[in-house]
């Protein structure tokens, strides 16, 4: 952020003690914040700043103390630093409202070799699968390959048709430097069922390999019906915006996945002018998908007990995923409540504003009367700010959480997939065993004519077993990689969203300050 | 130094500072009699206010003293003043409302019940929140009781009231606790009379231009300010709900199981801090708004009512006056009891004139007082809003900088929004 800030961070002060004091003074001068000393602002003051090139997932937030100091120093230099920052942030938020932009701008593209896991050997052991030889770090390094750019936006929702056959059509725009696309900039129009169709195709191909397939946005009969019927109110506008944003995020996640991006169906979706109408999409969204995911987790739970693995990684990971899902659900409920209360605050403020205006109109003292009507106007502006903040609360926080709750479900599906493959291997191994026993019986019973058949069978099953072993290795490797990639993505996603949320708050607070500062002289003018 | 509130064996003790005060004007500018409530103690249901007086008046025994008083004693004082005939031409400062600790008390109950099922951190956090809530209610109730006394002390006539002096000085229990039923009945009766007031005030034919205008103004203003006060309350409550939600978010972020030690969890804990800060700031906004704006409106709703009560008393005196005139005419006609009727008429006229004269003065100073109070509180509220918004802005800035510092390099820049 310091790069794109447009300002250079102030030079790191030499006298650390002096700075520490001013830091405390500034923070403590706000008499309300009496626990400044106890939180992240203190501590680690003497640590020198060493900017790292890649985020260290373990400890991104070290060395805060020193940075805060510089920033506080900067921010207290009167209005100007604020203006600088806020020009940026104002700019940023203007962009946010004008366009449906992507925040996950750059996508990493891994070369085709890395998408398959290169295990060195496939030991022909029957009982235990081998442990993946690559370490976590090596897998991570594979990730940061060459970078190409691909930005996607979903915009311009348009209602096509009338009545119950109507549908919303969205513009899907792509901007890319990737050579596999025909153009650098192009756009197509798609409808919701097209997105579901894309999911179906992707899922059919890639879920067997153990990939985490991003789930599409949920279907909503109620929401869509309102739009179809032509209800031009704020709730259907909200619904369309919610749907549009969700579709955009969905596509962004799809293309963020290195293997999926290579998929011709994805390319076709982005590029091709006319797409054949997707059918059978009813099962793929909403409750149908949820049911599938829940069945998957049950199956996984059952199978975990049977599986005898020396590598605990998968079992503990699955537990983590489940715990996290619970946490996110709880968070989502709290954020939902926040959104609703913010909306309530918004309407209560509007009502109050009118009431104050009425009071002002009755007030006999003219200066007070004027001040009261000004207050009413300020409260009106407050209402707008609360409205915007509710919007941010929802789109930045609530939707993020909702997305990840579903994504975690997809992760569980992925684990189930691996279970299936393992089960298939087990069955093949036991079949092979049976064939061998059958051969032994034949040898003993001395029936040469059937022996050849038995030997053929054994060969067949031996090759199947080794094939399934390789499959299992591959799936295991893929799932591991997928989970790591997902975790990194998730951490980054959350951080980006928190940052965006802070930006939205910043913006709101700035406007708040301006509003009240404008009102202050009015209040003082009362005589 | 700011208000501290801590618990000692089931009771809560509040120490306030002069900063946290006065819905009305600075009523303490006359050094001959200075009253304040420096602290209060809450034991179960009862609140004991420490009423502290500093005076140069010889009518008091000592130059400085304090007495403990409960809410009921304030009400007693108010009622005796209302019932004093001499003060009919004055605006009686409205009685302070009963301290309402229902909200925090409920929370305390929940805390006690849930203690076993909470972690130590959760319990400590809830206790902290509980303290903050108690503090907020305390501030409000102390303010309102203090202002009541200060209105009396700054008024040239009330300050000399004997009961007022007893209230301030007498260091024993005043033993004025009424029975609940009587209190309730009294209240009901008062309300019944109040609606009759409205009718009477609007019905009486007004001869005086000043009072005619006042009547119109007060009736209109009264309904509007009541409305504004109610709407302000709702708005403040919404702010508190938002703060509460931030609290739940922060709690959820902190709640991952102790053994689940992922890197992601560490991030979540950092985010929890952000939301905790947001909660605190939202809380402050809500309580400052309540103190300065909502309480202001509430107070003046009551004060307007006191002014209307004065109008009512005068209207009744006017009616009495007119009736006495009629009686005198009748007596003269009949030729009986003329002297008595004349005396009665003279007294009624005197009373009416006195009420009109003092009423005019009171209502005029009420206007001025109201304007000054609004000015003061609106300025203070605005300054607080600006301050809180600036702090929030700064905090967001700081967190933002912190979180984005490491996002340079290969993984794209947040805030780098590309347009097509």
């Amino acid at each position: 952020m310091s790069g794109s800030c447009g300002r250079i961070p102030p030079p790191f002060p030499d006298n650390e003690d002096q700075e520490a004091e001013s830091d405390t003074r500034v923070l403590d001068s706000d008499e309300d914040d009496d626990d400044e000393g106890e939180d992240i602002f203190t501590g680690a003051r003497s640590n020198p700043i060493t900017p790292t090139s890649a985020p260290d997932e373990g400890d991104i937030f070290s060395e805060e103390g020193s940075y805060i100091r510089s920033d506080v120093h900067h921010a207290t230099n009167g209005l100007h630093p604020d203006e600088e920052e806020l020009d940026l942030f104002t700019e940023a938020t203007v962009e946010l409202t004008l366009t449906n932009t992507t925040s996950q701008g750059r996508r990493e593209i891994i070369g085709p070799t890395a998408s398959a896991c290169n295990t060195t050997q496939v030991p022909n052991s029957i009982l235990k699968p081998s442990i993946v030889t690559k370490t976590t770090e090596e897998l991570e390094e594979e990730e940061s390959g060459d970078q190409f750019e691909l930005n996607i936006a979903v915009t311009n929702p348009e209602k096509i048709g009338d009545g119950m056959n109507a549908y919303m059509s969205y513009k899907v725009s792509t901007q890319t430097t990737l050579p596999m696309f025909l153009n650098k900039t192009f756009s197509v129009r798609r409808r919701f069922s097209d997105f579901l169709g894309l999911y179906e195709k992707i899922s059919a191909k890639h879920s067997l390999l153990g990939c985490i397939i991003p789930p599409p946005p949920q279907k909503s009969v109620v929401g869509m019906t309102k739009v179809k019927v032509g209800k031009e109110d704020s709730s259907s506008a909200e619904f369309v915006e919610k749907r549009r944003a969700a579709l955009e995020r969905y596509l962004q996640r799809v293309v963020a996945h290195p293997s999926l991006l290579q998929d011709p169906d994805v390319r076709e979706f982005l590029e091709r002018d006319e797409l054949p109408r997707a059918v059978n999409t009813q099962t793929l969204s909403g409750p149908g998908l949820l049911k599938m995911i829940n069945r998957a987790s049950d199956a996984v739970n059952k199978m975990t007990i049977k599986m005898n693995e020396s590598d605990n990684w998968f079992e503990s990971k699955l537990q983590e995923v489940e715990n996290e899902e619970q946490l996110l659900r709880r968070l989502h409920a709290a954020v939902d409540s926040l959104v609703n209360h913010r909306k309530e605050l918004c309407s209560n403020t509007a009502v109050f504003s009118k009431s104050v205006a009425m009071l002002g109109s009755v007030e006999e003292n003219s200066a007070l009367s004027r001040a009261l009507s000004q207050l009413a106007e300020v409260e009106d502006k407050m209402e707008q700010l609360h409205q915007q903040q509710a919007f941010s609360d929802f789109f930045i926080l609530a939707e993020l959480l909702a997305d990840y709750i579903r994504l975690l479900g997809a992760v569980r599906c992925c684990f189930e997939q691996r279970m299936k493959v393992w089960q298939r291997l087990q069955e093949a191994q036991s079949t092979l065993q049976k064939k061998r026993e059958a051969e032994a019986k034949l040898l003993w019973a001395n029936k040469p004519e059937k022996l050849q058949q038995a030997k053929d069978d054994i060969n067949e099953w031996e090759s199947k077993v080794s094939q399934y072993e390789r499959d299992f290795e591959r799936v295991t490797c893929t799932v591991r990689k997928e989970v790591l990639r997902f975790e990194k993505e998730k951490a980054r996603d959350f951080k980006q969203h928190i940052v965006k949320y802070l930006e939205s708050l910043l913006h709101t607070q700035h406007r708040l300050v301006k509003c009240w500062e404008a009102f202050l002289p009015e209040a003082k003018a009362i005589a | 130094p700011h208000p501290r509130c801590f618990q000692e064996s089931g009771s809560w003790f509040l120490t306030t500072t002069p900063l946290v005060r006065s819905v009305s004007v600075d009523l303490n500018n006359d050094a001959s009699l200075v009253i304040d409530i420096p602290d209060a103690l809450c034991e179960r249901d009862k609140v004991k206010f420490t009423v502290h007086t500093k005076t140069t008046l010889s009518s008091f025994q000592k130059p400085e003293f304090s007495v403990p008083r409960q809410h009921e004693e304030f009400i007693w004082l108010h009622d005796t003043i209302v019932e004093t005939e001499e003060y009919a031409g004055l605006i009686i400062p409205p009685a302070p409302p009963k301290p309402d600790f229902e909200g925090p008390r409920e929370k305390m109950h929940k805390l006690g019940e849930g203690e076993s099922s909470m972690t130590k951190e959760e319990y400590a956090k809830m206790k902290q929140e509980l303290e903050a809530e108690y503090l907020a209610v305390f501030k409000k109730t102390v303010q309102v009781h203090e202002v009541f006394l200060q209105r009396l002390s700054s008024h040239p006539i009330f300050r000399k009231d004997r009961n007022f002096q007893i209230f301030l000085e007498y260091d024993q229990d005043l033993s004025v606790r009424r029975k609940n039923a009587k209190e309730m009945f009294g209240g009901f009766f008062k309300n019944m009379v109040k609606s009759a007031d409205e009718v009477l005030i609007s019905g009486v034919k007004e001869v005086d231009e000043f009072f005619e205008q006042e009547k119109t103004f007060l009736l209109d203003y009264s309904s509007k300010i009541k409305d504004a006060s109610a709407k302000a309350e709702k708005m403040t409550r919404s702010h508190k709900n938002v703060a509460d939600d931030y609290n739940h978010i922060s709690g959820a972020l902190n709640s991952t199981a102790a053994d689940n030690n992922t890197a992601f969890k560490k991030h979540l804990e950092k985010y929890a801090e952000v939301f905790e800060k947001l909660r605190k700031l939202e809380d402050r906004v809500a309580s400052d708004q309540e103190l300065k704006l909502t309480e202001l409106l509430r107070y003046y709703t009551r004060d307007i009512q006191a002014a209307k009560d004065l109008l009512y008393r005068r209207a009744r005196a006017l009616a009495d006056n007119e009736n006495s005139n009629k009686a005198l005419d009748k007596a003269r006609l009949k030729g009986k009891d003329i002297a008595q009727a004349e005396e009665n008429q003279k007294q009624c006229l005197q009373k009416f004139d006195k009420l009109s004269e003092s009423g005019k003065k009171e209502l005029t100073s009420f206007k001025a007082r109201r304007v000054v109070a609004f000015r003061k509180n609106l300025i203070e509220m605005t300054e607080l809003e600006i301050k809180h918004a600036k702090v929030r802005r700064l905090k967001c800035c700081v967190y933002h900088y912190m979180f984005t510092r490491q996002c340079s390099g290969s993984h794209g820049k947040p805030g780098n929004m590309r347009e097509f």
Side-chain angles (χ1 to χ4, degrees):
Chain A
M1 194 64 190
S2 40
S4 56
C5 232
R7 67 183 163 103
I8 307 158
F12 192 62
D14 296 330
N15 191 350
E16 294 198 5
D17 287 336
Q18 194 190 350
E19 279 308 302
E21 266 180 37
S22 76
D23 181 34
T24 322
R25 264 207 303 280
V26 165
L27 293 175
D28 284 357
S29 68
D30 174 12
E31 63 174 0
D32 295 328
D33 280 308
D34 45 345
D35 64 343
E36 278 308 315
E38 289 152 22
D39 71 356
I40 51 170
F41 291 97
T42 56
R45 278 213 184 116
S46 52
N47 290 359
I49 306 163
T50 47
T52 55
S53 54
D56 177 0
E57 213 168 339
D59 190 13
I60 292 190
F61 306 110
S62 59
E63 299 147 345
E64 306 115 16
S66 18
Y67 268 123
I68 305 312
R69 187 168 45 232
S70 333
D71 195 53
V72 163
H73 188 69
H74 208 242
T76 52
N77 282 344
L79 201 56
H80 299 293
D82 281 354
E83 300 275 71
E84 270 175 44
E85 286 157 7
L86 288 159
D87 280 341
L88 163 79
F89 292 144
T90 320
E91 211 184 327
T93 44
V94 163
E95 284 184 353
L96 222 168
T97 50
L98 282 185
T99 66
N100 308 302
T101 51
T102 69
S103 55
Q104 305 167 23
R106 293 167 200 257
R107 291 288 138 245
E108 298 166 342
I109 307 301
I110 302 176
T113 51
S115 56
C117 182
N118 293 331
T119 46
T120 47
Q121 304 169 23
V122 181
N124 213 344
S125 72
I126 297 179
L127 293 173
K128 282 186 188 167
S130 65
I131 299 168
V132 173
T133 53
K134 290 216 166 203
T135 62
T136 321
E137 288 84 320
E138 285 175 313
L139 286 171
E140 274 192 77
E141 270 173 41
E142 261 181 17
E143 289 284 312
S144 45
D146 296 326
Q147 290 174 52
F148 289 93
E149 213 171 276
L150 181 82
N151 293 343
I152 294 193
V154 174
T155 56
N156 299 59
E158 257 175 43
K159 185 171 160 193
I160 312 279
D162 267 319
M164 289 314 287
N165 288 328
Y167 63 91
M168 293 302 289
S169 146
Y170 303 88
K171 181 172 170 199
V172 177
S173 311
T174 313
Q175 186 195 53
T176 178
T177 56
L178 288 174
M180 67 187 181
F181 290 98
L182 299 168
N183 300 308
K184 287 218 159 51
T185 324
F186 49 92
S187 67
V188 294
R189 293 212 76 99
R190 296 282 179 257
R191 54 186 291 185
F192 184 66
S193 52
D194 293 334
F195 289 80
L196 297 184
L198 177 65
Y199 173 77
E200 181 186 44
K201 291 184 192 143
I202 292 176
S203 187
K205 279 186 268 177
H206 295 265
S207 60
L208 297 172
L209 303 173
C211 287
I212 300 174
I213 316 287
Q218 288 176 319
K219 237 181 182 176
S220 163
V221 177
V222 174
M224 256 332 267
T225 310
K226 267 202 234 166
V227 172
K228 285 182 184 176
V229 163
K231 233 172 161 236
E232 293 279 337
D233 65 354
S234 62
S235 70
S236 48
E238 237 184 78
F239 171 78
V240 171
E241 173 56 25
K242 185 176 164 178
R243 167 73 56 97
R244 180 209 64 76
L247 290 173
E248 190 175 84
R249 291 193 307 271
Y250 168 64
L251 280 184
Q252 285 169 348
R253 292 210 171 91
V254 167
V255 299
H257 194 298
S259 332
L260 296 183
L261 181 58
Q262 301 290 326
D263 189 316
D265 281 325
V266 171
R267 262 181 284 148
E268 186 184 68
F269 182 89
L270 293 175
E271 263 185 333
R272 186 162 158 186
D273 279 329
E274 290 290 322
L275 218 54
R277 183 79 193 279
V279 292
N280 291 335
T281 56
Q282 279 81 0
T283 51
L284 294 178
S285 194
L289 183 64
L290 214 56
K291 253 194 274 176
M292 258 170 56
I293 291 177
N294 287 334
R295 269 208 316 269
S297 68
D298 292 340
V300 167
N301 285 334
K302 280 192 219 127
M303 286 193 220
T304 332
I305 310 168
K306 292 188 190 160
M307 217 165 136
N308 201 4
E309 228 175 297
S310 55
D311 184 8
N312 267 340
W313 191 89
F314 284 91
E315 207 172 307
S316 64
K317 238 343 143 195
L318 186 59
Q319 189 59 50
E320 258 180 49
V321 166
E322 285 172 356
N323 290 344
E324 213 163 79
E325 204 176 312
Q326 261 187 25
L327 169 67
L328 292 189
R329 280 184 199 281
R330 194 173 143 187
L331 268 175
H332 186 258
V335 172
D336 223 13
S337 177
L338 174 67
V339 172
N340 287 333
H341 283 142
R342 185 93 67 185
K343 285 186 176 162
E344 255 178 46
L345 175 60
C346 185
S347 62
N348 286 342
T349 307
V351 164
F352 176 67
S353 163
K354 291 195 183 71
S355 189
V356 169
M358 291 293 282
L359 188 64
S361 68
V362 179
E363 175 58 60
E364 42 180 21
N365 178 299
S366 56
L368 179 54
S369 170
R370 190 169 47 242
L372 286 174
S373 5
Q374 290 294 83
L375 180 64
E377 272 182 43
V378 170
E379 293 294 343
D380 229 359
K381 293 199 191 110
M382 291 294 124
E383 185 219 340
Q384 287 171 18
L385 290 178
H386 292 316
Q387 177 83 287
Q388 278 175 20
Q389 194 57 56
F391 185 85
S392 297
D393 291 341
F394 179 75
F395 279 98
I396 300 176
L397 294 180
E399 288 284 78
L400 170 77
L401 293 167
D403 279 355
Y404 271 91
I405 291 170
R406 297 202 340 275
L407 274 166
L408 286 175
V411 174
R412 279 192 282 134
C413 274
C414 178
F415 277 76
E416 189 220 25
Q417 203 47 50
R418 179 171 170 271
M419 285 296 169
K420 281 196 184 141
V421 173
W422 185 80
Q423 201 181 40
R424 191 177 59 174
L425 172 62
Q426 291 299 95
E427 285 167 8
Q429 283 170 343
S430 85
T431 309
L432 177 60
Q433 187 65 19
K434 287 200 188 96
K435 296 292 179 191
R436 289 212 169 114
E437 288 167 6
E439 186 201 32
K441 275 202 196 123
L442 287 177
L443 280 172
W444 197 78
N446 202 9
K447 292 210 174 111
E449 68 285 0
K450 290 198 184 150
L451 208 56
Q452 187 52 44
Q453 181 62 42
K455 278 207 180 348
D456 286 342
D457 278 353
I458 289 178
N459 281 338
E460 181 196 338
W461 281 98
E462 268 179 353
S463 76
K464 272 193 185 166
V465 164
S466 86
Q467 172 66 45
Y468 293 164
E469 269 174 357
R470 280 199 299 277
D471 285 346
F472 183 72
E473 294 291 315
R474 195 169 25 231
V475 167
T476 299
C477 179
T478 304
V479 169
R480 242 188 144 106
K481 229 169 46 150
E482 283 286 281
V483 168
L484 287 173
R485 191 188 62 84
F486 173 75
E487 286 184 338
K488 237 166 66 164
E489 186 89 3
K490 180 179 65 177
R492 191 174 60 196
D493 228 352
F494 268 73
K495 186 139 94 129
Q496 280 181 356
H497 278 78
I498 294 284
V499 164
K500 254 206 276 199
Y501 188 68
L502 286 170
E503 278 172 18
S504 80
L505 281 174
L506 242 170
H507 184 73
T508 310
Q509 295 316 305
H510 185 65
R511 293 268 300 278
L512 251 171
V513 168
K514 291 278 170 276
C515 273
W516 286 111
E517 277 179 343
F519 177 70
L520 191 57
E522 285 293 334
K524 289 187 169 161
I526 301 172
Chain B
H2 51 217
R4 248 188 284 275
C5 183
F6 56 92
Q7 188 179 26
E8 280 181 354
S9 58
S11 45
W12 297 80
F13 187 72
L14 170 81
T15 335
T16 65
T17 66
L19 296 171
V20 183
R21 321 276 243 214
S22 276
V23 152
S24 189
V25 295
D26 189 357
L27 296 167
N28 263 345
N29 43 17
D30 181 353
S32 63
L33 182 62
V34 176
I35 305 180
D36 70 319
I37 299 182
D39 52 61
L41 176 64
C42 178
E43 267 175 352
R44 317 226 159 259
D45 279 13
K46 299 284 173 202
V47 182
K48 291 206 176 109
F49 302 94
T50 303
V51 179
H52 168 249
T53 312
K54 255 163 81 163
T55 178
T56 59
L57 298 175
S58 51
S59 46
F60 290 94
Q61 290 173 10
K62 287 185 274 189
E64 186 168 357
F65 47 90
S66 290
V67 295
R69 288 284 174 249
Q70 293 192 25
H71 172 73
E72 288 76 13
E73 292 163 297
F74 286 76
I75 300 301
W76 164 82
L77 179 59
H78 173 261
D79 289 348
T80 58
I81 290 178
V82 167
E83 287 157 13
T84 306
E85 188 64 36
E86 267 176 61
Y87 302 145
L90 308 176
I91 297 179
I92 318 286
K98 201 167 169 170
D100 180 17
F101 285 95
E102 193 52 49
R105 201 174 297 136
E106 241 185 79
K107 242 193 168 146
M108 174 126 109
H109 193 61
K110 260 194 227 161
L111 187 70
E113 279 186 346
E115 185 172 355
S116 47
S117 61
M118 285 188 233
T119 66
K120 233 181 13 178
E121 294 83 23
E122 281 178 345
Y123 184 76
K125 192 160 188 255
M126 248 195 110
K127 188 145 174 271
Q128 217 181 36
E129 283 159 36
L130 193 55
E131 265 186 39
E133 261 193 60
Y134 259 101
L135 192 69
V137 177
F138 254 131
K139 275 191 202 179
K140 267 194 313 195
T141 196
V142 163
Q143 179 173 280
V144 103
H145 283 79
E146 195 179 66
V147 164
F148 171 69
L149 295 178
Q150 288 171 344
R151 280 282 295 280
L152 294 174
S153 70
S154 61
H155 193 285
I157 296 173
F158 288 134
R159 67 183 357 218
K160 297 196 205 122
D161 182 272
R162 186 67 199 126
N163 286 320
F164 183 46
Q165 292 197 349
I166 293 174
F167 178 93
L168 291 175
E169 220 178 15
Y170 187 61
D171 56 6
Q172 303 294 320
D173 197 330
L174 288 174
S175 296
V176 296
R177 261 169 291 307
R178 297 181 183 176
K179 296 204 185 86
N180 271 339
K182 194 169 173 195
E183 234 165 47
M184 274 168 58
F185 179 68
F188 172 69
F189 181 68
K190 278 188 197 136
N191 282 332
M192 235 175 48
V193 168
K194 273 206 175 89
S195 36
D197 288 356
E198 308 262 332
V199 176
L200 187 63
I201 295 176
S202 0
V204 161
K205 191 164 93 71
E206 189 50 71
V207 294
D208 189 331
E209 182 70 37
F210 174 83
F211 283 100
E212 182 61 39
Q213 279 182 345
E214 276 309 296
K215 187 172 72 181
T216 316
F217 169 71
L218 283 178
L219 285 178
D220 205 359
Y221 197 82
S222 162
S223 66
K224 301 257 164 23
I225 196 170
K226 207 161 149 184
D227 185 61
S229 166
K231 304 282 158 62
E233 258 186 63
K234 273 182 99 166
M235 192 175 70
T236 306
R237 201 163 323 135
S238 286
H239 266 295
K240 291 194 176 152
N241 286 337
V242 168
D244 249 350
D245 288 325
Y246 276 139
N247 196 22
H248 294 147
I249 293 173
S250 166
L253 285 167
N254 267 327
S255 74
T256 44
D259 55 348
N260 195 5
N261 217 354
T262 59
F264 187 56
K265 182 199 170 197
K266 291 208 176 70
H267 296 185
L268 293 183
E269 283 174 355
K270 279 285 183 299
Y271 304 148
E273 261 179 57
V274 175
F275 283 101
E276 179 56 28
K277 277 273 172 335
L278 290 176
R279 174 190 80 80
K280 283 207 180 107
L281 291 168
E282 197 74 43
D283 241 343
R284 299 243 164 75
V285 169
S287 58
D288 282 343
Q289 189 184 75
E290 177 161 41
L291 264 184
K292 297 293 162 192
L293 185 62
T294 314
E295 280 296 298
L296 172 74
L297 293 171
R298 279 189 197 130
Y299 184 79
Y300 275 94
T301 307
R302 289 194 292 270
D303 219 8
I304 293 279
Q305 187 56 49
K308 276 164 69 183
D309 287 343
L310 170 58
L311 279 188
Y312 162 72
R313 291 194 289 272
R314 181 180 166 279
R316 233 205 2 209
L318 180 60
D320 285 347
N321 189 35
E322 283 183 1
N323 288 341
S324 76
N325 282 339
K326 286 195 192 118
L328 182 58
D329 287 343
K330 209 158 144 200
R332 285 198 174 129
L333 218 59
K334 280 197 190 157
K336 229 170 40 150
D337 297 322
I338 296 178
Q340 193 185 24
E342 276 181 347
E343 185 57 36
N344 189 27
Q345 194 264 2
K346 197 166 97 181
Q347 277 189 359
C348 282
L349 186 61
Q350 263 182 3
K351 180 176 171 189
F352 175 69
D353 282 341
K354 182 169 163 221
L355 278 186
S356 294
E357 190 191 321
S358 91
K360 202 176 238 173
K361 260 197 280 186
E362 286 279 295
L363 288 169
T364 308
S365 71
F366 171 66
K367 282 180 211 297
R369 194 174 62 235
R370 185 181 78 245
V371 171
V372 173
F374 266 74
R375 178 179 192 275
K376 178 169 188 274
N377 280 278
L378 286 179
I379 291 175
E380 284 175 3
M381 178 190 78
T382 306
E383 286 173 345
L384 283 169
E385 288 270 2
I386 293 173
K387 175 172 132 179
H388 291 318
K390 280 186 172 165
V391 169
R392 246 201 304 225
R393 184 177 64 179
L394 176 60
K395 289 270 149 65
C396 287
C397 223
V398 164
Y399 276 116
H400 185 278
Y401 187 58
M402 235 173 71
F403 288 170
T404 56
R405 184 170 48 95
Q406 296 231 5
C407 266
S408 52
S410 55
H411 287 264
K413 300 183 180 123
N416 173 19
M417 325 249 185
R418 308 284 302 262
E419 282 185 66
F420 283 116

